[in-house]
Amino acid sequence: MIIVKAQNYDEISKKAASYIAAQVQLKPACVLGLATGSTPCGTYQELIRYHREEGLSFQKVRTINLDEYYGLPATHEQSYSHFMRKNLFDHIDILAENTHVPDGLATNPNAFGREYDELIASLGGIDMQLLGIGSNGHIAFNEPGNCFVAQTRLVDLNQNTIEDNARFFESAEEVPRQAISMGMKSILGAKRILILASGKGKADAVKGMLEGSVDPLLPASILQLHQNVTLIADLAALSQTAESVLQS
Ligand code: PGA
């Protein structure tokens, strides 16, 4: 894994956006895997700047999002569909029909998950996947558990995730208890993976991902099996990781 050290969140965002912009310049019809949460917001702002000030076009880009809360319609303010429109899609020239976020109202979410994996395959796979990391080490909503799950499917959110995400809702009670999450097969199938981590709250998860064994109790550790992962992290997020690992 390539580790790119950033001084702070702003530098993470600028570096991540520069990688994504380069991907779009090199392959205008690329497939970008996108993430939600606090971490990628700065990256999306910087991509909007690339579009407005440097003429970067997303007209041919296709996007695939990692996850969606189950039970929330795309119009809900806390849905990830809404998040993507508000934070990126409404501000660039991407075509709505080229953007894909799991359907939080799918009546058969596991069948939907199979179709979502087929859709990703039919697009030729993901060229560049953007990821955040949960404080519990999750990627997408693949929560710690006793095995890695390949398929996109309905998942139960664990208590730690519900508490982490309560800040976006009026209270923890309002956080949906389930989500449709991309599975490890489609994530690991991406040609390149960019994972971002900012702040002290991610330091233990980052340490586990880099130093621990590949263990479903720390889902991000599976990225050790991928050939082309770049971690962009600030000093706080790297503060628990051994210097020897950062230098290797
Ligand atoms: P965050 O979430 O960016 O809001 O910290 C990351 C994640 O849970 O994957």
Side-chain angles (χ1 to χ4, degrees), residues 35-41 66-67 80 131-136 138-141 161 164-165 167-168 196 198 202:
T36 53
S38 306
T39 312
C41 287
L66 288 170
D67 42 24
Y80 287 158
L131 293 176
I133 182 170
S135 60
N136 64 2
H138 74 199
I139 49 175
F141 277 132
T161 298
D164 278 356
N165 289 1
R167 68 191 193 278
F168 299 111
L196 313 184
S198 176
K202 303 296 173 68

Side-chain angles (χ1 to χ4, degrees), residues 4-233:
V4 176
K5 275 191 219 173
Q7 291 300 316
N8 52 37
Y9 178 72
D10 193 44
E11 202 179 318
I12 292 177
S13 302
K14 290 205 165 90
K15 283 182 190 289
S18 72
Y19 287 35
I20 297 169
Q23 170 69 67
V24 173
Q25 284 157 8
L26 290 180
K27 185 177 175 187
C30 64
V31 178
L32 297 179
L34 298 179
T36 53
S38 306
T39 312
C41 287
T43 304
Y44 295 152
Q45 276 169 25
E46 183 65 8
L47 286 174
I48 293 167
R49 193 195 64 72
Y50 271 99
H51 172 64
R52 289 192 178 145
E53 296 176 15
E54 299 186 29
L56 183 68
S57 176
F58 294 81
Q59 237 169 1
K60 295 184 180 159
V61 170
R62 281 81 46 82
T63 66
I64 291 281
N65 262 78
L66 288 170
D67 42 24
E68 178 62 284
Y69 287 120
Y70 191 54
L72 296 193
T75 49
H76 191 286
E77 277 225 330
Q78 293 308 332
S79 75
Y80 287 158
S81 273
H82 183 266
F83 174 102
M84 290 308 303
R85 289 193 300 276
K86 188 176 90 182
N87 287 287
L88 183 64
F89 298 155
D90 284 354
H91 310 285
I92 57 176
D93 61 344
I94 197 160
L95 304 180
E97 62 265 33
N98 286 344
T99 68
H100 305 280
V101 180
D103 177 5
L105 296 184
T107 44
N108 185 337
N110 290 329
F112 177 88
R114 282 191 292 279
E115 285 165 21
Y116 203 68
D117 286 330
E118 283 163 19
L119 168 70
I120 295 168
S122 75
L123 293 174
I126 293 166
D127 290 295
M128 183 175 277
Q129 176 67 57
L130 182 63
L131 293 176
I133 182 170
S135 60
N136 64 2
H138 74 199
I139 49 175
F141 277 132
N142 293 286
E143 299 283 30
N146 53 14
C147 62
F148 293 109
V149 181
Q151 291 80 26
T152 298
R153 71 220 177 273
L154 186 66
V155 297
D156 294 328
L157 303 185
N158 80 6
Q159 192 55 31
N160 173 286
T161 298
I162 291 166
E163 284 162 20
D164 278 356
N165 289 1
R167 68 191 193 278
F168 299 111
F169 292 81
E170 297 280 319
S171 67
E173 283 66 55
E174 285 187 22
V175 182
R177 269 33 187 179
Q178 291 182 303
I180 296 176
S181 176
M182 193 187 287
M184 292 302 195
K185 188 172 176 199
S186 287
I187 295 174
L188 272 279
K191 295 176 188 76
R192 292 195 174 77
I193 295 177
L194 273 187
I195 180 163
L196 313 184
S198 176
K200 228 176 164 20
K202 303 296 173 68
D204 288 337
V206 167
K207 178 186 173 71
M209 169 177 75
L210 294 172
E211 294 181 17
S213 50
V214 174
D215 184 344
L217 288 174
L218 203 145
S221 64
I222 201 170
L223 298 177
Q224 293 176 27
L225 298 180
H226 195 281
Q227 298 287 341
N228 202 331
V229 181
T230 303
L231 165 67
I232 309 178

